[in-house]
Amino acid sequence: MQEHFYDQTIALLKSRGVTKKDLVDLVIFLQKDYIKDLSEPMINESIDLVLKKREVQNAVMTGIQLDVLSEEGKLFAPLQEIIARDEGLYGIDEIMAFSITNLYGSIGFTNYGYIDKVKPGILAILNDKSTGKVNTFLDDIVGAIAAATASRLAHTNPQLEDDNIYINEEV
Ligand code: MG
């Protein structure tokens, strides 16, 4: 069951133009200055563990479903227009992202705020309103997955943080 949801989550993200590589690039963007010797297999492993969490799978399923229904014009008014136009005061897309960022403590929240402001890589593409696609929920969900993964890496590899002198002395 769990494996099934994981595969579906990967497939859903891919169907909306988001690959595992895009997520890896976002995590590298967030962590490159903080964790030395951060390898791509380490990041990939962490992304997989985040994508295996039910909270994350639920957010991906729900967010993408709402984006697609809005793209097809199938939501009730006024929600249809609010989501299609990605109105700034709506805010439920960010609330849904918090269910992901909250998984690994407060660093996740800070990481999310930062990446949502800078919008590197795939986030810039998802935010391009000229494509006709609706990614109102997806951009926040993808940013939150990267932020949670970066927080997970920071929590599980404190010995690799270059400002952590206490642990480095013990090694
Ligand atoms: Mg959004």
Side-chain angles (χ1 to χ4, degrees):
M1 192 63 149
Q2 202 75 359
E3 258 328 284
H4 169 70
F5 276 129
Y6 165 80
D7 290 340
Q8 196 181 13
T9 301
I10 299 276
L12 260 177
L13 288 169
K14 208 170 172 197
S15 77
R16 301 297 290 171
V18 180
T19 64
K20 279 274 291 288
K21 177 80 175 91
D22 292 322
L23 295 172
V24 169
D25 289 344
L26 291 179
V27 175
I28 291 172
F29 173 85
L30 281 170
Q31 285 304 99
K32 61 182 182 325
D33 295 335
Y34 302 102
I35 295 187
K36 293 182 292 182
D37 309 321
L38 190 62
S39 69
E40 222 164 292
M42 266 169 71
I43 298 172
N44 253 307
E45 186 195 13
S46 243
I47 289 173
D48 277 340
L49 288 168
V50 170
L51 293 177
K52 282 177 180 163
K53 293 247 178 210
R54 280 305 300 272
E55 292 93 333
V56 177
Q57 296 166 347
N58 289 339
V60 170
M61 277 193 277
T62 310
I64 289 179
Q65 183 73 81
L66 285 166
D67 281 347
V68 169
L69 286 173
S70 176
E71 212 167 271
E72 295 171 350
K74 288 181 176 165
L75 296 173
F76 293 153
L79 187 62
Q80 169 57 35
E81 273 303 292
I82 292 171
I83 294 181
R85 275 204 239 121
D86 196 6
E87 281 184 17
L89 291 175
Y90 176 58
I92 309 298
D93 41 349
E94 280 94 359
I95 301 286
M96 200 185 284
F98 294 160
S99 70
I100 299 174
T101 57
N102 287 345
L103 286 171
Y104 297 103
S106 56
I107 310 174
F109 187 72
T110 317
N111 279 337
Y112 168 72
Y114 177 61
I115 208 166
D116 186 49
K117 199 172 164 63
V118 180
K119 298 193 195 307
I122 186 71
L123 294 182
I125 296 167
L126 292 176
N127 269 284
D128 181 359
K129 303 284 188 286
S130 69
T131 60
K133 292 260 179 201
V134 176
N135 292 313
T136 298
F137 283 90
L138 186 59
D139 66 331
D140 297 286
I141 287 167
V142 168
I145 291 171
T149 306
S151 317
R152 193 191 170 278
L153 283 163
H155 282 292
T156 52
N157 301 282
Q159 77 282 4
L160 299 179
E161 296 261 347
D162 48 9
D163 58 349
N164 202 330
I165 45 170
Y166 300 106
I167 291 173
N168 283 343
E169 274 172 1
E170 280 172 21
V171 171

